[in-house]
Amino acid sequence: MTSELKSLIEQVGAKSHQLHRSLVAERERVRSMTDEINRLNAEISEFQNQGRYMEDELHSLKTELSQAREQVQVQPVSANTVEIDVLVKEIDFCIQQLKIANE
């Protein structure tokens, strides 16, 4: 029985060593996955920050565009009015000159 007992002890020892190696390998795999999760979370956070920055920039650009459109719409009206006034004065002047010439 001693040889059988020795054999069983050796089998239990071999299984114990195998389980220990498996445990060490699994711990390493978990550590590696944890590192990868942390890296990916940092990357997600960076992308979210970039997204917020881009949204702020987009909002700012839309505001600038809206203001520029308002200025463009206001300027032609006032510029056209001035041009029309100048032309009307020139026409009046020409009419006056024609009246003077015809008298």
Side-chain angles (χ1 to χ4, degrees), residues 28-75:
E28 182 58 34
R29 190 174 75 84
V30 167
R31 188 177 355 208
S32 174
M33 292 176 111
T34 301
D35 291 345
E36 180 69 6
I37 288 170
N38 290 336
R39 185 188 69 76
L40 291 172
N41 282 336
E43 195 172 320
I44 287 170
S45 178
E46 184 179 333
F47 282 133
Q48 288 172 335
N49 289 338
Q50 287 177 352
R52 282 190 289 274
Y53 172 78
M54 292 174 105
E55 286 174 356
D56 291 344
E57 186 69 17
L58 176 63
H59 178 71
S60 174
L61 290 172
K62 282 183 177 180
T63 301
E64 286 180 33
L65 178 61
S66 176
Q67 291 172 351
R69 283 183 177 162
E70 288 174 9
Q71 289 177 356
V72 167
Q73 290 174 354
V74 170
Q75 288 177 352

Side-chain angles (χ1 to χ4, degrees), residues 7-20:
S7 174
L8 284 174
I9 291 173
E10 287 175 3
Q11 287 176 358
V12 168
K15 283 190 178 194
S16 173
H17 288 306
Q18 177 59 34
L19 287 173
H20 177 70

Side-chain angles (χ1 to χ4, degrees), residues 2 9 18 27 38 57 69-70 75 79 82 86 90 98-99 102:
T2 317
I9 291 173
Q18 177 59 34
R27 282 181 180 162
N38 290 336
E57 186 69 17
R69 283 183 177 162
E70 288 174 9
Q75 288 177 352
V82 170
V86 169
E90 285 181 34
L98 287 172
K99 283 182 182 178
N102 287 332

Side-chain angles (χ1 to χ4, degrees), residues 87-103:
L87 290 173
V88 167
K89 286 179 184 178
E90 285 181 34
I91 292 170
D92 283 342
F93 177 76
C94 290
I95 291 172
Q96 291 300 324
Q97 292 298 317
L98 287 172
K99 283 182 182 178
I100 292 172
N102 287 332
E103 289 179 355

